[in-house]
Amino acid sequence: MKNIKMITLSTIALALSSHFVSAEDNENYIRMLSEGDNYVVNRTQPESICGVNDLQHVERYDNRYARFGFTQSFVDSNERSVGALKSVASSSAGSYCSGTLISSNLFLTAAHCVDGTTVNDVVAFNYQLANDTNTVRAQQFFNITRVAENGNDLPGRLDYAILELEGAPGNNYGWKTLRNEFPEEIMIIQHPQGHPKQLDAGSNFIINGNRILYADLDTMGGSSGSGILDNTGHIIGVHTNGGCGITTGRNSGVTSAAIHQVSPMLPLSNNRTIRAIDSYGTNVGGWLVSKHPRVLADINGDGKDDIVGFGGISVFTSLANGDGTFASPKRALNSFTEQNGGWEVSKHPRMLADINGDGLADIIGFGTNSVFTALSNGDGTFASIKRAIDAYTVNSGKWEVAKHPRVVADVNGDGLADIVGFGTNSVFTSLSRGDGTFAPAKVALNAFTYNSGNWRVESHPRQVGDINGDGLADIVGFGGEGVYTSLGRGDGTFAPHKFVLSNYALLAGKWEVSKHPRVLSDVNGDGLQDIVGFGGADVYTSFARGDGTFTAPTKHHDEFVYTKGWFVDKHPRQVADVNGDGKADIVGFSDNGVLVYLTR
């Protein structure tokens, strides 16, 4: 709230002279790193000096960070939109928080700077020292008409707020836009300890979930709410709290990427990405990659893929609404979960596909001793589980998640999804019988496996889909030097594999399993499964040519990727048709809900 605890000048002097690191600073920093997105900001913790006080008044800037792109002209053009939150009674004196204009009348700051009396306060612009004098320039004050958005009231409880100001100060002072990319260097223009406008910059920062933490950039009480700028003048985060000591700790803020994921007011960086549902995320339901698989499949037969989430106690489903959004979650089955059956991500793969030919996706789970299935009821729920085959499991064949991928797809063209398992020495298939069970396993190909080609789960993804339009699922493997394919023969076996594309691999593009998901889906509506790869900075597609090969990668867009804060161990990404237009869309499970990029 507005009675923010500030560090005093005497405290700073003591810290600088003794190299003292407070236990609170160190403890909060360690908590932030260990708890990640679950870390709760200490609202009374002061912003802090990181080492020597490098803060400079904006009109006395000595160009020391010009090597980062933060020149004097950069400061001159970007400091004007920074304002100070002040109480009306003391508007001629100091301020209690900082912020930045993001439109002609919207002001971005920290949520902990806002309370029920904020509408009685003002935002001051031009609160800065004139050149080399100690004279404060003439300030211009704008009334706060309302708190337009408070991040504490949204999923994830992010520490940001948007204030609406009377008049249009942005028409005079300009405004900044938010950007989701993480640069090499950052600058914060701020009102430290309520003083006239100052700045500091740095390059020693890390991204941890929804937060950005920086160890060489000074702030103080009153700096909360300042925009964190890249060297193009975009806001990539909002400064919220401190933690620096002289030898350890980092100040920190909330990232723009996180704000974009939850904010109804701030548009995402492209007009095709929409907020699909505020659920199935770490901060909205406690969903974790390490415990709770989330998949997309059409479970009610309407031609649109729905969300199926394997929660802690139950399976939940959210039916697609047809516009890229989803209905509220409902409990679909009390099974296939950690607390109902002991299903663990590290041991028991779970997936969905139509295994009985009714046009509805069913659940297939690879348990400890047997494969179990649950047929879809067509209304978003599933029938009771049944034993389908005693194979492909930990105790029935020594199948391990760390070595042996298992997928489900129609390999013989009868409209029923079959099991495809990448064993130690061979690929095996078990054809669906149409009643929720499967025929015994048979050898389908001696390739793409642990001992046949040195394929490793941690390095070489393997997918199955129809890439040549004959109605039979084919194998697509992302090897060390590129993409290999094996076409389905229609009898449950596959033709010899061949090399088709030098890309999407560790040695051809530096694609890593720990950072860059690669999937198959039809993104152009021609009935052939294409490659979609989530690279470091962009999403790429390679279209299936119909002969088992693919076109060279082309850039699809720049969302849902590593540099935008999407991490494999936190944020599942899938490609599925959620609006029924025949083209696969991107579905991302963020910390604060599900985002969808609709393909056109």
Side-chain angles (χ1 to χ4, degrees), residues 396-427:
S396 295
K398 297 183 179 180
W399 292 73
E400 303 175 38
V401 167
K403 290 184 177 182
H404 310 120
R406 283 146 283 177
V407 295
V408 183
D410 182 9
V411 299
N412 64 343
D414 64 355
L416 310 177
D418 313 298
I419 295 174
V420 181
F422 296 83
T424 300
N425 298 299
S426 303
V427 177

Side-chain angles (χ1 to χ4, degrees), residues 49-96:
I49 297 295
C50 298
V52 176
N53 187 347
D54 294 317
L55 288 164
Q56 291 185 296
H57 288 275
V58 292
E59 295 190 38
R60 298 178 182 177
Y61 177 51
D62 63 8
N63 229 30
R64 68 178 61 180
Y65 301 114
R67 68 187 187 280
F68 293 158
F70 300 123
T71 61
Q72 182 65 60
S73 61
F74 174 92
V75 173
D76 291 343
S77 62
N78 287 280
E79 59 88 0
R80 287 176 52 76
S81 59
V82 176
L85 280 160
K86 293 190 172 191
S87 298
V88 173
S90 59
S91 60
S92 61
S95 57
Y96 61 84

Side-chain angles (χ1 to χ4, degrees), residues 477-525:
F478 299 87
E481 298 179 347
V483 180
Y484 295 80
T485 63
S486 286
L487 299 181
R489 286 174 164 153
D491 60 355
T493 67
F494 299 92
H497 68 294
K498 65 179 180 177
F499 184 80
V500 298
L501 184 63
S502 179
N503 211 304
Y504 300 105
L506 187 62
L507 300 179
K510 297 183 179 180
W511 292 75
E512 302 175 41
V513 167
S514 61
K515 292 183 178 180
H516 312 122
R518 284 145 283 177
V519 296
L520 296 179
S521 199
D522 180 11
V523 297
N524 61 350

Side-chain angles (χ1 to χ4, degrees), residues 225-298:
S226 303
I228 304 168
L229 302 177
D230 64 13
N231 59 17
T232 67
H234 289 88
I235 296 173
I236 59 99
V238 175
H239 173 72
T240 58
N241 74 307
C244 274
I246 302 305
T247 60
T248 188
R250 293 175 183 263
N251 293 331
S252 69
V254 60
T255 66
S256 295
I259 293 172
H260 271 144
Q261 289 178 6
V262 300
S263 172
M265 294 189 66
L266 299 179
L268 289 151
S269 57
N270 66 74
N271 60 7
R272 299 190 204 177
T273 303
I274 60 176
R275 295 175 186 86
I277 185 173
D278 293 335
S279 187
Y280 300 102
T282 303
N283 295 332
V284 280
W287 293 77
L288 303 174
V289 167
S290 61
K291 291 188 175 184
H292 312 120
R294 285 148 283 177
V295 295
L296 274 293
D298 182 10

Side-chain angles (χ1 to χ4, degrees), residues 288-353:
L288 303 174
V289 167
S290 61
K291 291 188 175 184
H292 312 120
R294 285 148 283 177
V295 295
L296 274 293
D298 182 10
I299 61 174
N300 64 343
D302 63 356
K304 298 180 285 289
D305 289 320
D306 313 297
I307 296 174
V308 180
F310 296 84
I313 298 176
S314 303
V315 176
F316 291 86
T317 60
S318 288
L319 299 181
N321 291 323
D323 58 356
T325 66
F326 297 91
S328 298
K330 75 174 186 178
R331 187 167 292 180
L333 181 67
N334 292 327
S335 189
F336 292 107
T337 66
E338 190 171 47
Q339 296 181 44
N340 271 318
W343 293 76
E344 302 176 37
V345 166
S346 61
K347 294 180 179 180
H348 310 120
R350 283 149 283 176
M351 52 204 69
L352 281 98

Side-chain angles (χ1 to χ4, degrees), residues 151-171:
N152 277 333
D153 299 331
L154 296 170
R157 295 181 56 82
L158 300 180
D159 192 2
Y160 81 94
I162 301 172
L163 308 180
E164 184 180 83
L165 307 185
E166 191 174 62
N171 291 340

